[in-house]
Amino acid sequence: MATHEVLDDTLAPLAAALGDRLLTPSAAAFAETAAVFMGGPERTPVAIARVRDTAEVAAVLAVAREAGLPLAVRSGGHSYVRHGLADGGLVLDLRLMDGIEIDAAAGVGHAQGGVLAGAYVTAAGEHGLATGFGDTGSVGIAGLALGGGIGYLSRLDGLTLDSLLGAEVVLADGTVVEANPDEHPDLYWALRGGGGNLGVVTRLDLRLRELPVVTGGMLAWAAEPGTLTSILTALAEAPAELSAMVNVMIAPPMPMIPAELHGKALVMALVCFAGPAAEAEASLARLRAPGAVHDSVREIAYPEMFAGPGGPAGGGTAAARTGFLGDGVWAPSDAWSAAAIEAVSGATHGVAVVNLRPMGGAIARTDASATAFAHRDAAWMVTVQGLVPNPDAAPALREWVESAAGELGVGGRGYVNFMGTATEQDVRDAYPEATLARLREVKRTYDPGNLFASNHNVAP
């Protein structure tokens, strides 16, 4: 019998259950549905199953399990290594499971597994409430939370996974369970940092805080070593209410950036002060002191921090190397700042960025053993990343990323949500030895057959 006939028989139960929500490569909507936000190795699934409830999730898992098909679970699709695609396998696409319920009285948000950060932030913001995510509205909150979630409220409230009160999970055998401190506490521990290794999260219960407005927006400076050092020092010493995403990059031809800086090295930061506006000025004054060439920081509704495009979908190839700097403290030097600026200025490919995110605050106050994310003592997370439109330029891009990361001391301890490769060494970098051993034990309990392998895989 021909291979495609065998495959047709395998997928027949899903075709009957999902109808036109089971997309194969011949479907008109297949390419658009398969597009992800980061480039990387080409992966073409045999089908994409767009599910609407836990029963359909279980049905997809049964087909993948019984047929031995590779399986990928997708919510937002922002993985650098395209974990949301399974080459020659099934993609379980959660994006139609996008229901949100905000229980303002209880201070809890309930979100299905396909919800994107921007939609949740907007829904919560209608009640003057917020949960801390990253910095991009098109990211799926399930993938974000399972890996960590470092964003605008992390120094104040902890990582996104620290706000995860519980979750509904469909296990590899199709069983639906609740994971929280009282039910399946070992699974609950592992979900918070263990990536997609344990099951399909179909509902997240997230803690909310009151946050009707913030003082936030963009600041930009001409890239000079002393300027970058001053900015990073000010952020490291700022109160927990202030956080930022700092990018050292080549200035794009944006109208708000002076024309004489276009094409030159720039320090650009999205800053957010989640406290009273009167208290924001002192912290922001230190950032403004080096002389910003652009300043749009003002009092805004928190959802405005997530406005704007989510990143390039489909085309191009991305590469990244991420790591954590400092054990509790890290004092940036002018020499380090100069190396970061030089790395970006010397890049000959497409987009080149050194991204810095301050840690500390509430992140560090949680014990490292409390969750599967264990790099809580770090002072900064640094990611060297780039994007090229032409896949032929990918080798040069990866060479630049590794060279720049080496110069800046980035590597050795990694963050699964931003890793650009998925090797065994990457897994060891992501999880300290004791954490990895505990994750393997939980994996053996909940996914002994390693059905969920399209991730930074903790093999059972």
Side-chain angles (χ1 to χ4, degrees), residues 131-222:
T131 300
F133 297 126
D135 63 345
T136 304
S138 58
V139 169
I141 65 171
L144 179 80
L146 297 183
I150 302 173
Y152 296 124
L153 303 182
S154 295
R155 300 180 72 241
L156 184 62
D157 287 343
L159 306 169
T160 301
L161 59 81
D162 293 322
S163 292
L164 184 62
L165 303 174
E168 177 185 75
V169 187
V170 183
L171 303 178
D173 64 1
T175 304
V176 183
V177 301
E178 295 286 334
N180 54 53
D182 300 317
E183 302 173 85
H184 299 280
D186 54 343
L187 177 60
Y188 175 63
W189 172 86
L191 288 174
R192 293 173 297 152
N197 270 285
L198 287 310
V200 182
V201 173
T202 49
R203 192 199 71 246
L204 302 92
D205 304 323
L206 296 156
R207 182 184 296 111
L208 290 160
R209 71 148 46 244
E210 291 188 14
L211 194 66
V213 295
V214 297
T215 302
M218 189 175 82
L219 286 164
W221 308 259

Side-chain angles (χ1 to χ4, degrees), residues 98-112 115-133 141 163 165 203-211 302-303:
D98 60 356
I100 302 169
E101 178 187 345
I102 302 299
D103 187 340
V108 178
H110 305 284
Q112 288 187 300
V115 169
L116 303 184
Y120 180 98
V121 167
T122 299
E126 293 173 356
H127 300 269
L129 302 170
T131 300
F133 297 126
I141 65 171
S163 292
L165 303 174
R203 192 199 71 246
L204 302 92
D205 304 323
L206 296 156
R207 182 184 296 111
L208 290 160
R209 71 148 46 244
E210 291 188 14
L211 194 66
Y302 180 64

